Amino acid sequence: MGGGLLLLLVLLGLCVDGGWGVETGRAEAPWRVHTLFSVECQNYFDWQTVGLMNSYRKARQPGPITRLLSCTDDEKKKYRGMHLAPTFEVPSMSRHPKTGDWYPAINKPAGVVHWLKHSKEAKNVDWVVILDADMIIRGPIVPWELGAEKGKAVAAYYGYLVGCDNILSQLHTKHPELCDKVGGLLAMHIDDLRALAPMWLSKTEEVREDRAHWGTNITGDIYGKGWISEMYGYSFGAAEVGLRHKINDNLMIYPGYIPQEGVVPILLHYGLPFSVGNWSFSKLDYHEDGIVYDCGRLFPEPPYPKEVKLMEPDPHKRRGLFLSLECINTLNEGLLLQHAANGCPKPKWSKYMSFLKSKAFAELTKPKQLTPATLDWQIHATLKEDVQAVQQVVDEPGKPYPKIHTIFSTECTPYFDWQTVGLVHSFHLSGQPGNITRLLSCTDEDLKQYTGHDLAPTHYVPSMSRHPLTGDWYPAINKPAAVLHWLNHVNTDAEYVVILDADMILRGPITPWEFKAARGQPVSTPYDYLIGCNNVLAKLHTRHPEACDKVGGVIIMHIDDLRKFALLWLHKTEEVRADKAHYATNITGDVYSSGWISEMYGYSFGAAELKLRHRISSDILIYPGYAPSPGIKYRVFHYGLEFKVGNWSFDKANWRNTDVVNRCWAQFPDPPDRSTLDQTDNNILQRDLLSIECVKTLNEALRLHHKRRKCPDPNSLSNSNSEAADEVITSRKFGKLDVRSAVENNHVQMNHSQELSEPTVTDGMFSSVRFWVIAMWAFFGLGFLTVASVLFSSRKGKGKRGKSRIKRRNSGSGFMDVNGRDRHLQVPL
């Protein structure tokens, strides 16, 4: 009987003190609000729960609150704090069920997902406020009063999430431009949370597994341990589902910081140590502390407000100190009340106990109201720019971005395969919206032997390299032919199409709203060497020579324009290609007078026929080896020309017949390290940095490709693969071309010197190696002839493969570089 009476008194005490089971004194909200926070079955989270719950009552936060409690079965057996807050139990993911990774922070998104799926309360909610356990609420957090809208959550600013601006976001979201550096306080519509939560969890797992990018310089995590993966999971997940944020830097403050004049924070986040005079507090000092269950024990008492007034004459700084006092005093008040609820005896009187129960303290900690200065939030810079860009392009504020599809044209050759690997890899890094499709032009015979089907999302098109009517060998015509085939055979909901060449690396998104493309006005990059737009060539091949634009490379075009234009592009290409009388360099600008750039003129003349005038942008594309203009963030590398950094060089033509995609761990010679570059001339430095970036991106793409193909560790290759391993290691070590490939390229290029330039020597090392190889051949020549008959039978199969390989090379040696047709043109710097 006595025990039952004691329990009744405890429950009555909770009600009198504003216990969590009663909502007395709260204003009626027009919409249903629910507050969530996530914890685990630990003493560390229990005292934080007590502090948060006490502040929830004091601040008169509208709606119910739920603690998402993550516990293992063993932890739950020993757990003492089930009564500390209204609780929804969720399975613990501290130890990941699949990977075994120990990462308790993942319980936050996992708990939210579980609550949405299994809680009855989640079905009766309009708005959700998500907090961390180490917070003190100072006033009602009402989402719609803070400016939250459906599709636009309100959040606090976490400026240290630098991964939103670098490669981390490019790797983990298709929309890095939408990545917001937010956390702490989150207030959003329940529909937005339902869309976000699974992606929040998925992206947390993804970032956590990306150990290669845990570095402090990439994540901003001072420990470089991937601990803030959950924060990035939230930001990247929100970017994926298009959830933007109104970022308010005034609502939440860390104790120890000073709020701006007129700003009244409504949330204290004591995640960092703070001090007042000689007194200090750090939550990490109480990691395993059972202070919730130790009757009468509180955190060390801080100075009193009167003492702070004496120690700090500056009223502005004093405001910050008062916030620190409020934080720790609210925690201690919560502990005092919880001890009473636990049935602890009444504590002995002390000056500090008296202060915590005084009217003066109650007045200091009464619910805070939002001020105009507090609500002076600013839209995130990217969101503001995006809204303005959409308004400028479509002149319809609020209209969503148009859908984009990126396409590029290739053929069934190793040469295009490694370019495909590089472009697709960079596409995913760049944040380019929409999907990408490779238009693969192959003959039936090519397809039977082709092994690169999985390199990219692919649309197969018949090859027109050999024209079906004229018999002309002109592979460049596959580009317009493939675009036309794709339009006629694929149903796309894209409003704009971005057309690229395979020998490109994307560095950032290319969007119609940023570059102001519109129906009737495509965007492209300048190809000033297309002088035929200004002479007799244009007059012969278009009725509107005045509308001929010297453009190419990158094209952004409305789908309606492309549907009208594609057939003309193909027809004009055929027409210009057939006009051999006007192949001359002084007419076309083609230094080889071979008609190889007929497809480029086909594009310009076809657009002129429809009077499609281009917005020409020099800010989209740059050739590695060219000095960049200051302040321009180029979105595309077009490595169609040879480029050098000191004695190192790269020319894609040297890799025409080298299969770096199917040879495990094959890569291009490493460029020089940044630290070796000359820093005296900034223009040259920036030029060289871009060149290095281009090849490093290609090599990284190849590395990841080989990893996906499950190539064996290059340091532990079997004997059967040792020769290939030696080739790779030698090439990487000395920064030179594969000798066999270079010799084969020499053979092709010497026979066609009018169309292909001589192979480039990558550094001084190459020449000496070549001479040594020739000397060795001479020395061992007689010996080889002597033993040839002995080796013939064992090498017969390899000999056949060698012959077929040479035959394929020779079959393609009568034409220039397909997608790098501009590489031999002397474009002025």
Side-chain angles (χ1 to χ4, degrees):
M1 183 70 180
L5 181 60
L6 177 62
L7 178 60
L8 179 61
L9 289 173
V10 169
L11 292 174
L12 286 173
L14 277 172
C15 293
V16 171
D17 287 330
W20 47 257
V22 181
E23 298 273 342
T24 57
R26 284 180 175 77
E28 187 89 19
W31 292 285
R32 298 166 297 182
V33 185
H34 202 109
T35 303
L36 300 173
F37 68 103
S38 174
V39 300
E40 299 159 47
C41 289
Q42 297 176 13
N43 290 335
Y44 179 58
F45 285 105
D46 283 356
W47 62 257
Q48 293 177 42
T49 295
V50 166
L52 179 58
M53 289 303 302
N54 183 45
S55 69
Y56 162 81
R57 294 189 294 265
K58 290 169 69 72
R60 302 189 181 279
Q61 171 68 9
I65 189 170
T66 295
R67 172 179 63 163
L68 305 178
L69 183 64
S70 301
C71 303
T72 65
D73 291 339
D74 288 340
E75 288 173 335
K76 188 176 176 182
K77 291 175 184 178
K78 306 173 186 177
Y79 186 58
R80 298 180 287 173
M82 198 61 72
H83 63 294
L84 299 179
T87 298
F88 186 79
E89 296 180 50
V90 298
S92 174
M93 275 190 63
S94 295
R95 179 75 65 190
H96 197 281
K98 292 183 179 179
T99 67
D101 178 42
W102 178 258
Y103 183 56
I106 201 173
N107 284 312
K108 186 175 182 180
V112 171
V113 169
H114 193 80
W115 180 78
L116 287 170
K117 285 184 178 179
H118 302 288
S119 171
K120 293 180 180 178
E121 289 182 317
K123 296 177 174 62
N124 298 297
V125 177
D126 299 304
W127 296 89
V128 178
V129 175
I130 302 176
L131 305 176
D132 289 336
D134 57 344
M135 289 180 170
I136 297 296
I137 307 173
R138 304 182 73 230
I141 303 172
V142 184
W144 55 91
E145 291 182 2
L146 301 181
E149 306 172 45
K150 198 169 182 179
K152 293 178 184 175
V154 167
Y157 181 59
Y158 272 8
Y160 56 83
L161 295 179
V162 297
C164 273
D165 301 326
N166 60 35
I167 192 174
L168 198 67
S169 63
Q170 296 170 359
L171 286 168
H172 295 292
T173 172
K174 289 179 281 189
H175 306 290
E177 75 281 1
L178 303 184
C179 185
D180 292 328
K181 301 176 189 174
V182 295
L185 163 65
L186 302 168
M188 70 185 71
H189 196 275
I190 187 67
D191 292 346
D192 293 327
L193 185 60
R194 290 188 187 280
L196 165 69
M199 192 61 70
W200 181 4
L201 175 59
S202 175
K203 289 296 177 182
T204 297
E205 294 174 306
E206 188 178 308
V207 176
R208 179 67 182 172
E209 291 172 11
D210 184 9
R211 295 174 180 266
H213 296 95
W214 278 7
T216 300
N217 61 323
I218 294 176
T219 64
D221 176 4
I222 59 174
Y223 301 105
K225 299 294 185 182
W227 192 253
I228 59 177
S229 299
E230 174 273 316
M231 296 183 186
Y232 280 115
Y234 177 88
S235 291
F236 296 160
E240 284 292 278
V241 300
L243 178 63
R244 303 313 307 272
H245 296 82
K246 295 182 177 181
I247 303 176
N248 191 315
D249 207 16
N250 299 329
L251 297 173
M252 185 186 83
I253 196 169
Y254 289 86
Y257 284 50
I258 303 171
Q260 295 182 9
E261 192 67 35
V263 170
V264 179
I266 60 172
L267 195 63
L268 301 176
H269 189 185
Y270 55 92
L272 301 173
F274 57 98
S275 61
V276 179
N278 293 325
W279 174 93
S280 65
F281 178 84
S282 173
K283 69 173 188 174
L284 294 178
D285 292 340
Y286 301 92
H287 202 275
E288 298 298 331
D289 199 310
I291 193 169
V292 170
Y293 310 103
D294 293 349
C295 291
R297 189 163 72 86
L298 306 179
F299 295 117
E301 66 180 70
Y304 292 93
K306 291 181 179 180
E307 296 172 332
V308 171
K309 288 180 181 179
L310 294 175
M311 72 172 66
E312 182 51 70
D314 186 335
H316 188 55
K317 294 180 180 179
R318 202 158 56 221
R319 286 186 68 214
L321 296 178
F322 280 155
L323 288 175
S324 297
L325 296 182
E326 183 180 335
C327 178
I328 191 64
N329 286 333
T330 303
L331 278 170
N332 276 339
E333 181 189 32
L335 287 171
L336 194 62
L337 294 173
Q338 190 59 53
H339 290 162
N342 290 348
C344 290
K346 185 177 180 179
K348 295 181 180 180
W349 182 91
S350 69
K351 180 181 177 181
Y352 185 54
M353 294 284 187
S354 180
F355 169 73
L356 291 179
K357 295 181 179 181
S358 68
K359 291 182 179 180
F361 178 67
E363 182 66 20
L364 288 172
T365 56
K366 68 181 181 181
K368 304 300 185 289
Q369 302 302 315
L370 295 170
T371 64
T374 308
L375 285 176
D376 186 21
W377 56 268
Q378 294 182 348
I379 300 177
H380 194 223
T382 56
L383 177 58
K384 186 183 294 183
E385 293 165 0
D386 290 345
V387 170
Q388 291 172 348
V390 172
Q391 291 174 349
Q392 290 170 357
V393 173
V394 300
D395 199 26
E396 293 180 36
K399 181 178 177 180
Y401 293 141
K403 290 186 177 180
I404 306 173
H405 200 105
T406 302
I407 59 177
F408 66 104
S409 173
T410 70
E411 299 163 43
C412 290
T413 66
Y415 182 56
F416 281 106
D417 283 356
W418 63 257
Q419 294 175 39
T420 296
V421 169
L423 177 56
V424 172
H425 169 71
S426 69
F427 172 85
H428 293 301
L429 290 181
S430 69
Q432 175 72 358
N435 298 316
I436 188 168
T437 296
R438 170 180 60 165
L439 310 181
L440 185 61
S441 300
C442 302
T443 65
D444 292 340
E445 290 302 315
D446 289 335
L447 277 176
K448 291 177 183 177
Q449 304 175 34
Y450 186 62
T451 60
H453 299 281
D454 62 339
L455 299 180
T458 300
H459 175 74
Y460 296 88
V461 298
S463 173
M464 275 193 58
S465 296
R466 179 75 66 190
H467 197 283
L469 298 178
T470 67
D472 178 40
W473 180 260
Y474 182 55
I477 202 172
N478 283 313
K479 185 175 181 180
V483 171
L484 181 63
H485 192 275
W486 179 74
L487 287 171
N488 288 334
H489 291 82
V490 171
N491 292 322
T492 179
D493 60 352
E495 191 173 341
Y496 283 88
V497 177
V498 176
I499 304 174
L500 305 175
D501 287 336
D503 58 339
M504 290 181 172
I505 294 294
L506 278 168
R507 305 178 69 236
I510 308 168
T511 60
W513 52 88
E514 180 175 0
F515 294 101
K516 300 178 175 60
R519 185 186 281 107
Q521 187 173 51
V523 169
S524 192
T525 52
Y527 271 11
D528 294 330
Y529 52 82
L530 295 179
I531 60 174
C533 273
N534 301 330
N535 60 35
V536 66
L537 200 65
K539 294 175 182 178
L540 285 169
H541 295 291
T542 174
R543 294 170 297 172
H544 307 290
E546 75 286 353
C548 185
D549 292 328
K550 293 184 275 188
V551 294
V554 175
I555 300 161
I556 311 171
M557 187 177 288
H558 195 280
I559 189 71
D560 293 344
D561 294 331
L562 189 59
R563 292 188 191 282
K564 298 174 186 176
F565 164 69
L567 185 58
L568 271 173
W569 184 4
L570 176 59
H571 284 172
K572 289 296 177 182
T573 298
E574 294 173 309
E575 187 180 308
V576 176
R577 177 68 178 173
D579 184 9
K580 295 185 178 182
H582 295 94
Y583 275 6
T585 300
N586 63 326
I587 294 176
T588 63
D590 177 1
V591 294
Y592 299 101
S593 300
S594 63
W596 191 253
I597 59 176
S598 299
E599 175 272 315
M600 296 183 184
Y601 280 115
Y603 178 90
S604 292
F605 295 159
E609 283 293 277
L610 296 176
K611 292 189 176 180
L612 276 178
R613 300 311 304 268
H614 293 76
R615 188 183 294 275
I616 304 174
S617 174
S618 300
D619 298 349
I620 299 176
L621 178 148
I622 189 170
Y623 289 85
Y626 281 37
S629 297
I632 295 179
K633 182 183 178 183
Y634 296 98
R635 308 305 170 85
V636 175
F637 285 136
H638 190 185
Y639 54 91
L641 303 170
E642 178 194 13
F643 55 98
K644 301 179 179 181
V645 179
N647 291 325
W648 174 94
S649 67
F650 182 83
D651 186 342
K652 67 172 188 173
N654 289 330
W655 300 87
R656 176 184 302 282
N657 300 306
T658 305
D659 189 354
V660 293
V661 169
N662 295 308
R663 280 174 47 213
C664 273
W665 306 116
Q667 290 187 319
F668 302 112
D670 284 324
D673 188 82
R674 174 179 181 146
S675 61
T676 66
L677 301 181
D678 184 359
Q679 310 283 324
T680 56
D681 188 322
N682 188 58
N683 286 335
I684 294 176
L685 175 63
Q686 296 305 317
R687 178 199 68 189
D688 291 348
L689 288 175
L690 290 179
S691 297
I692 291 171
E693 179 188 336
C694 180
V695 173
K696 279 188 172 294
T697 304
L698 281 170
N699 275 341
E700 177 65 7
L702 287 168
R703 185 189 69 80
L704 293 173
H705 164 76
H706 294 312
K707 185 178 179 181
R708 284 191 298 272
R709 290 280 179 94
K710 302 189 183 306
C711 282
D713 188 332
N715 296 319
S716 59
L717 289 172
S718 64
N719 292 335
S720 62
N721 291 327
S722 61
E723 182 180 347
D726 290 342
E727 287 182 17
V728 174
I729 293 169
T730 303
S731 175
R732 301 277 285 169
K733 181 177 179 181
F734 293 107
K736 61 182 180 61
L737 294 173
D738 181 281
V739 174
R740 182 181 62 203
S741 300
V743 171
E744 290 167 348
N745 284 331
N746 276 335
H747 175 74
V748 173
Q749 291 166 351
M750 285 188 294
N751 290 333
H752 306 282
S753 59
Q754 289 187 345
E755 294 184 9
L756 295 177
S757 61
E758 287 296 315
T760 303
V761 177
T762 54
D763 59 18
M765 200 69 184
F766 176 74
S767 296
S768 61
V769 171
R770 183 172 59 185
F771 286 128
W772 275 107
V773 170
I774 293 171
M776 289 170 64
W777 283 348
F779 182 82
F780 290 108
L782 291 176
F784 175 78
L785 292 173
T786 303
V787 300
S789 59
V790 178
L791 297 177
F792 180 77
S793 59
S794 63
R795 303 283 293 182
K796 184 175 181 181
K798 294 183 180 180
K800 289 180 180 178
R801 285 195 296 272
K803 289 180 182 179
S804 64
R805 187 164 57 218
I806 293 171
K807 182 178 180 181
R808 286 199 300 275
R809 289 182 186 123
N810 287 341
S811 69
S813 61
F815 60 90
M816 290 174 60
D817 184 358
V818 175
N819 67 322
R821 49 198 174 278
D822 54 324
R823 65 174 295 277
H824 308 290
L825 301 171
Q826 303 304 311
V827 184
L829 287 170

